[in-house]
Amino acid sequence: MPEARRSTIDAGEIERFSALAQEWWNPNGKFRPLHKFNPVRLAYIRDHVAAQFGRDPRAAKPFEGLRILDIGCGGGLLCEPMARLGADIVGADASATNIEVAKLHAAEAGVTIDYRAETAEALAEQGEKFDVILNMEVVEHVADVGLFIEKCAEMLKPGGIMFVATINRTLKALGLAIIGAEYVLRWLPRGTHQYGKLVRPEELERALVNAGLITKDRTGVVYNPLTDRWDRSRDMDVNYMVLAEKPRPDAMI
């Protein structure tokens, strides 16, 4: 029998997020935590992209001329800010329902975004290449983390960078990100995250290295209930972000 083809798709995860698609742009709805999380991750992306490509982060369109992929884009919460910063942005999601919601909102907002109901594997097979890949809050929902990172890395141009944000697999994360956020505070629907699928930093960085990428930066992200905002932190026990680069050939000599 032929060997089954590996896939990054977890059908149950796609179905779960498709059912919530109409909630994406409601700041007080099911995706309220992502709306609250957006400022800190946008600042992290803006600062590191500007530093990598010699741009002024204070400019009106600092990402002009850069091709960016938001893989697992959901309803487009990151795509629209990237478009406004001048990027040539592709938003891809395995859920066609999410993509339709994202397209509708982009049209209403008057921003141009290339939305596609595609997987990372499909985009890589098409030979797509990007300066920057945003891989935010996705790896904990895929079926094969190593394959997913590998396919994303294939699409990164030499000298390009990839941002990965996810949740650590710790007891603290279980208590705060799953029991607290889903069952007590009900910020997220129950079952949004499965403890066994959470990814530890060393596991993520191993996948990045295996895909030919070099880790350049890592940071924790913590929620401050007094200010009702997320901030960067040295504490990576729950939420964290990693920045990785695809080295240029001359840098490897």
Side-chain angles (χ1 to χ4, degrees):
M1 293 179 61
E3 184 178 349
R5 187 175 184 182
R6 293 169 66 197
S7 171
T8 65
I9 296 300
D10 183 319
E13 296 279 9
I14 302 304
E15 182 178 351
R16 183 177 298 112
F17 281 96
S18 294
L20 298 170
Q22 298 303 323
E23 293 277 341
W24 277 107
W25 287 96
N26 179 359
N28 297 309
K30 301 294 186 183
F31 293 104
R32 180 177 181 271
L34 281 183
H35 285 268
K36 289 289 185 181
F37 199 38
N38 241 12
V40 69
R41 62 181 187 171
L42 283 171
Y44 187 73
I45 292 165
R46 182 199 61 217
D47 292 348
H48 282 286
V49 169
Q52 182 74 9
F53 296 98
R55 307 298 179 88
D56 180 356
R58 297 164 298 180
K61 294 186 180 295
F63 293 177
E64 201 160 28
L66 295 177
R67 193 158 191 254
I68 297 180
L69 169 66
D70 183 6
I71 188 71
C73 66
L77 298 187
L78 275 177
C79 288
E80 291 195 15
M82 294 298 107
R84 292 190 178 96
L85 289 170
D88 174 9
I89 178 77
V90 174
D93 199 284
S95 167
T97 307
N98 284 344
I99 290 297
E100 289 308 310
V101 169
K103 285 180 177 178
L104 178 61
H105 195 275
E108 292 173 347
V111 292
T112 300
I113 299 167
D114 181 1
Y115 279 120
R116 308 184 196 179
E118 298 271 19
T119 64
E121 301 100 292
L123 290 170
E125 286 174 5
Q126 293 163 20
E128 293 283 3
K129 297 295 179 184
F130 300 92
D131 299 292
V132 179
I133 295 179
L134 308 180
N135 192 330
M136 314 298 276
E137 291 78 44
V138 181
V139 295
E140 69 270 27
H141 300 292
V142 302
D144 187 326
V145 174
L147 178 63
F148 182 66
I149 293 294
E150 175 189 322
K151 292 303 177 183
C152 289
E154 283 181 20
M155 294 186 281
L156 203 56
K157 297 177 183 178
I161 52 177
M162 178 161 67
F163 296 85
V164 185
T166 190
I167 302 173
N168 201 346
R169 193 172 68 255
T170 62
L171 291 179
K172 185 176 179 180
L174 173 64
L176 295 178
I178 297 181
I179 296 172
E182 297 181 19
Y183 291 84
V184 179
L185 297 173
R186 298 187 179 180
W187 285 350
L188 294 167
R190 293 183 180 184
T192 297
H193 296 103
Q194 300 169 48
Y195 181 73
K197 294 188 72 174
L198 303 184
V199 183
R200 291 174 176 156
E202 60 269 25
E203 296 168 344
L204 175 59
E205 294 191 27
R206 188 181 310 123
L208 292 168
V209 168
N210 290 342
L213 305 183
I214 297 171
T215 299
K216 294 193 67 179
D217 188 71
R218 59 182 71 82
T219 183
V221 187
V222 298
Y223 176 70
N224 185 334
L226 298 178
T227 60
D228 189 28
R229 58 176 283 176
W230 292 84
D231 295 296
R232 290 185 226 175
S233 167
R234 293 181 180 179
D235 182 356
M236 295 176 62
D237 285 347
V238 184
N239 296 83
Y240 67 96
M241 295 187 286
V242 173
L243 170 65
E245 178 184 18
K246 188 170 193 173
R248 300 179 187 276
D250 55 0
M252 301 174 67
I253 298 175

